[in-house]
Coordinates of all heavy atoms in Angstrom, one line a residue:
L223 N -88.0 -71.7 -151.4 CA -87.6 -71.8 -152.8 C -86.1 -71.9 -153.0 O -85.6 -72.6 -153.8 CB -88.2 -70.7 -153.6 CG -89.7 -70.6 -153.7 CD1 -90.2 -69.4 -154.4 CD2 -90.3 -71.9 -154.5
A225 N -84.0 -73.1 -150.8 CA -83.5 -74.5 -150.4 C -83.8 -75.5 -151.5 O -82.9 -76.4 -151.7 CB -84.2 -74.9 -149.1
I226 N -84.9 -75.4 -152.2 CA -85.2 -76.3 -153.3 C -84.2 -76.1 -154.4 O -83.7 -77.1 -155.0 CB -86.7 -76.0 -153.8 CG1 -87.7 -76.4 -152.7 CG2 -86.9 -76.8 -155.1 CD1 -89.1 -76.0 -153.0
N227 N -84.0 -74.8 -154.8 CA -83.0 -74.6 -155.9 C -81.6 -75.1 -155.5 O -80.9 -75.6 -156.4 CB -83.0 -73.1 -156.2 CG -84.2 -72.6 -156.9 OD1 -84.9 -73.3 -157.6 ND2 -84.6 -71.3 -156.7
N228 N -81.2 -74.9 -154.3 CA -79.9 -75.4 -153.9 C -79.8 -76.9 -154.0 O -78.7 -77.4 -154.4 CB -79.6 -75.0 -152.4 CG -79.4 -73.5 -152.3 OD1 -79.0 -72.8 -153.2 ND2 -79.5 -73.0 -151.1
L229 N -80.8 -77.6 -153.7 CA -80.8 -79.1 -153.8 C -80.8 -79.5 -155.2 O -80.1 -80.4 -155.6 CB -82.0 -79.7 -153.0 CG -82.1 -81.2 -153.0 CD1 -80.9 -81.8 -152.3 CD2 -83.4 -81.7 -152.3
I230 N -81.6 -78.8 -156.1 CA -81.6 -79.1 -157.5 C -80.2 -78.9 -158.1 O -79.7 -79.7 -158.9 CB -82.6 -78.2 -158.2 CG1 -84.0 -78.6 -157.8 CG2 -82.4 -78.3 -159.7 CD1 -85.1 -77.6 -158.4
C231 N -79.5 -77.8 -157.7 CA -78.2 -77.5 -158.2 C -77.1 -78.5 -157.7 O -76.2 -78.9 -158.4 CB -77.8 -76.1 -157.8 SG -78.7 -74.8 -158.6
S232 N -77.3 -78.9 -156.4 CA -76.3 -79.8 -155.8 C -76.5 -81.3 -156.2 O -75.6 -82.1 -156.1 CB -76.2 -79.6 -154.3 OG -77.4 -80.1 -153.7
G233 N -77.8 -81.6 -156.5 CA -78.1 -83.0 -156.7 C -78.3 -83.8 -155.4 O -78.2 -83.2 -154.3
T234 N -78.6 -85.0 -155.5 CA -78.9 -85.9 -154.3 C -77.9 -87.0 -154.1 O -78.1 -87.9 -153.4 CB -80.3 -86.5 -154.4 OG1 -80.4 -87.3 -155.6 CG2 -81.4 -85.4 -154.4

Side-chain angles (χ1 to χ4, degrees):
L223 293 175
I226 295 171
N227 286 333
N228 289 339
L229 184 61
I230 291 173
C231 292
S232 67
T234 59

